[in-house]
Amino acid sequence: MVRYSKLAFRQTVHHFGTDLCWTPMVLAKEFNRNSFARDSDLTISTTGPELPTIAQFGSNSPLELSRASSLAAPFVNGVDLNCGCPQSWACAETLGAALMEKRDLVRDMVVATRQRLREDGWGVGKEADIESPKGRGRSVSVKIRVHKDLRKTVDFITTVLGDEHNRNIDWLTIHPRTRYTQSSVPINLEALELLTNMFGDKLPVLVSGDVFTLSTLPYTSHLLEPQPTFTSNASKHEANGAPTSDNTRPHLPKLAGLMSARALLANPALFAGYETCPWKAVDVFMRNIARAPLPLKLGIHHLTEMCGAGFGPDRSALLNKGERIRLTEFDNWIDVIDFIDDMKKARGIEPIAWLPQDI
Ligand SMILES: Cc1cc2nc3c(=O)[nH]c(=O)nc-3n(C[C@H](O)[C@H](O)[C@H](O)COP(=O)(O)O)c2cc1C
């Protein structure tokens, strides 16, 4: 996530069971030309626990993407091309979602990147190399939106995938909204069902969009077996428009993974099965920013998201609105830490646990 999925946040979601973390979209051209861009856009831990990380790039050039990937490869597990960003500045530069109209270019970019990584000595031969014990495997993947006319999306994926026995990409993440669909509109389930059924045997397909809590997904999936049992409240509830009744939810047997953005910001413990953000996620985040600092305002924004009502049916929040506003007024970390400790104390909860064994 642009602005947000920096190291401390990625470490926090990883602590709570997220398998794979993406960096914010990094502009490949800047990354290649400027060492300060590299230092500020890609922060990795040299000491912490292993954190599987995918560097996501914005690019429209095979040369730029393959060079940026070559520079990033020693520090990450794979590289991903953003074909989903709908922002007008990105599309005007033929970046992000504009690439959904350039399937040959996208294929050329991933082919050039795979070739460059291979020349650099990285294993890019699909699962065998990715899981190589030498740790030299690097993935190349793409994140897309869908078209209004799904035949165009099918053509896009077919072109970018190439020979299914010698694929150009290791996996695909689908955000089933078009470039013009607002994020308040539920994802297009028919598109997701059709595309996972069509391509799910050819490569791993992940979904991005409306993963608000694990118990209110708008589809059923073997990924969640045993299937969560809905509480009477949850089954009646519509989480931000997502249908939760089993009759209306398609089953997606070929889905390979779930990606979350907005709801994970609000609840970094989502993939550990928490319906709302627990205080211990705040503790883990605070501990991580002590070691991998964030700008104060950015860190506070994360905290207001985590202490807010979130995206699931349970709208309870760690802090009320007034307390969250108070949080935004601090101008230093000491006051933020004291405030959080006070808020926890007022609720009879232990102060921030700074040591891993205390969480
Ligand atoms: C703050 C924010 C930043 C985002 N940044 C990126 C990004 O850098 N790259 C990307 O592919 N998608 C990005 N997205 C889109 C999300 O990955 C995702 O596709 C979309 O928000 C729908 O998923 P959600 O319902 O889980 O939020 C971003 C979304 C948000 C809210």
Side-chain angles (χ1 to χ4, degrees), residues 1-5 22-26 56 80 82-85 143 145 175 177 183 187 208-212 259-265:
M1 277 175 281
V2 166
R3 278 191 300 283
Y4 300 111
S5 43
W22 272 244
T23 65
M25 178 178 77
V26 174
Q56 193 194 52
D80 188 80
N82 184 336
C83 302
C85 179
K143 178 163 178 274
R145 285 190 177 236
H175 178 192
R177 290 190 176 94
S183 55
I187 58 167
S208 163
D210 296 357
V211 177
F212 294 137
M259 176 190 271
S260 174
R262 291 169 295 170
L264 200 63
L265 263 187

Side-chain angles (χ1 to χ4, degrees), residues 308-325:
F311 284 78
D314 180 348
R315 308 292 296 161
S316 55
L318 295 178
L319 298 179
N320 66 36
K321 195 170 174 197
E323 291 164 340
R324 295 200 301 274
I325 291 173

